[in-house]
Amino acid sequence: MENIEHKHVEVKGLKLHVAEIGCGPKVVVFLHGFPEIWYTWRHQMIAVANKGYRAIAFDFRGYGLSDQPLEPEKATFQDLIDDVVGLLDSLAINKAFLVGKDFGALPAYLIAAVHPERVLGVVTLCLPYILPGTNSIRNDLLPEGFYVARWQVPGRAEADFGRFDVKSVIRNIYTLFSRSEIPIANENQEIMDLFDPSTPLPSWFTEEDLSVYASLYEKSGFRYALQIPYRRFSVDIGISDPKVNAPALLIMGEKDYCMKFPGMEDYIRSGTLKSLVPDLDIIFLEDGCHFVHEQLPHLANQLIITFLDKHSTTA
């Protein structure tokens, strides 16, 4: 970890916090999800750098040590597409592999769709290719207490999270979301109430890890994170041709609660997903949860590096 270098890079008027390790022409850019940050990729960054790749992970705008945009409530996923492409430009990188987890999968695929000349390949974990729009996540097919639906209500998550310090919020979410059941609250509950204080952290997530996450979210808060992804997921960004022709790999944990979203498993397994991403390999990890890259880092690293090596030689 001590060999990971940190700096800020200005992109579209905002200073983005960038972590980097390794050197050379083969570049891998890692895109985090929620409640994650650049640090979520600590295992993967070191592993790919040791194999000769230049590994870059950054905090999305509004997250961690990156600047906050002036009007978070007007955010769209187009902002993330522009930030990644702008970061590549600022670092003089022509093409890169994109690795995205959770909502970080969306800009990874979308950049490959609209800027194919910048992408060598795409790896996503825990979420397949989903286009932003009104049908991206069907809240109407789940109970009212579905966490996404709850967090989309302005002020509700703020009040829920505000009862706790930042470290407790991260602890609660990591513990709840590492289970195989979709977090759904009862009518008289909030999402944070689902957490049992006697439940320990997952074995693969240490108190030190928690402290790092907390220190970064204490800086940024959750204002932007509640917009992207949750409250702006339904905003169509007008991509007319969403097909991704780049080689791609999807890694899903069989125990990831996202597999229980209505229609999700069928979308992944039926071949519908491959109509959007024809050159896609899908790997299911039997014991994998929603944080499979942290839970099973050696296995995730092996799968990612195998993909990178294969498509570096054909690029």
Side-chain angles (χ1 to χ4, degrees), residues 37-291:
I37 217 77
W38 78 267
Y39 181 80
T40 197
W41 297 113
R42 58 200 180 279
H43 305 299
Q44 287 70 45
M45 291 180 72
I46 293 170
V48 303
N50 286 341
K51 293 294 184 178
Y53 293 88
R54 180 182 176 189
I56 297 170
F58 73 102
D59 298 339
F60 280 126
R61 57 168 58 204
Y63 279 81
L65 300 178
S66 290
D67 283 351
Q68 297 283 332
L70 291 177
E71 297 179 292
E73 288 72 23
K74 295 183 179 180
T76 73
F77 276 90
Q78 185 65 49
D79 298 327
L80 304 191
I81 295 172
D82 294 343
D83 283 351
V84 175
V85 174
L87 181 63
L88 294 178
D89 290 342
S90 294
L91 298 177
I93 297 168
N94 290 326
K95 300 184 78 169
F97 290 100
L98 302 180
V99 182
K101 153 71 169 58
D102 188 67
F103 82 81
L106 274 71
Y109 279 121
L110 294 171
I111 292 163
V114 299
H115 298 287
E117 74 284 356
R118 308 304 297 270
V119 179
L120 291 168
V122 176
V123 180
T124 65
L125 302 94
C126 310
L127 204 67
Y129 187 16
I130 298 173
L131 287 171
T134 54
N135 291 319
S136 56
I137 296 181
R138 296 292 303 276
N139 293 356
D140 58 311
L141 299 178
L142 286 159
E144 177 274 336
F146 175 43
Y147 79 95
V148 172
R150 286 289 184 88
W151 290 352
Q152 285 177 338
V153 178
R156 186 153 193 172
E158 289 87 339
D160 186 12
F161 293 0
R163 297 177 294 154
F164 306 91
D165 60 34
V166 169
K167 192 171 187 178
S168 296
V169 173
I170 300 297
R171 178 191 297 272
N172 296 359
I173 295 175
Y174 248 88
T175 305
L176 288 172
F177 286 51
S178 64
R179 299 173 182 172
S180 61
E181 299 300 320
I182 300 173
I184 296 174
N186 293 325
E187 184 179 354
N188 61 347
Q189 285 182 311
E190 297 300 330
I191 298 301
M192 292 294 100
D193 296 327
L194 296 173
F195 176 73
D196 180 349
S198 67
T199 305
L201 284 171
S203 60
W204 40 266
F205 193 75
T206 68
E207 287 288 343
E208 181 182 358
D209 295 331
L210 177 61
S211 294
V212 174
Y213 277 88
S215 68
L216 295 169
Y217 274 97
E218 283 167 358
K219 191 268 182 185
S220 64
F222 298 103
R223 182 182 176 188
Y224 188 84
L226 289 168
Q227 302 301 325
I228 298 288
Y230 299 103
R231 294 175 189 163
R232 306 295 287 172
F233 223 127
S234 62
V235 178
D236 189 326
I237 60 172
I239 294 182
S240 58
D241 183 6
K243 190 173 182 180
V244 170
N245 290 310
L249 171 66
L250 170 63
I251 302 170
M252 291 292 301
E254 295 275 12
K255 295 181 180 178
D256 187 334
Y257 71 87
C258 287
M259 291 289 287
K260 295 183 178 177
F261 283 8
M264 180 65 77
E265 185 163 7
D266 182 65
Y267 174 61
I268 295 172
R269 294 186 187 272
S270 68
T272 303
L273 174 58
K274 287 195 174 187
S275 67
L276 283 172
V277 193
D279 192 5
L280 174 69
D281 291 327
I282 303 172
I283 296 175
F284 293 94
L285 301 182
E286 182 178 1
D287 296 320
C289 73
H290 189 60
F291 304 100

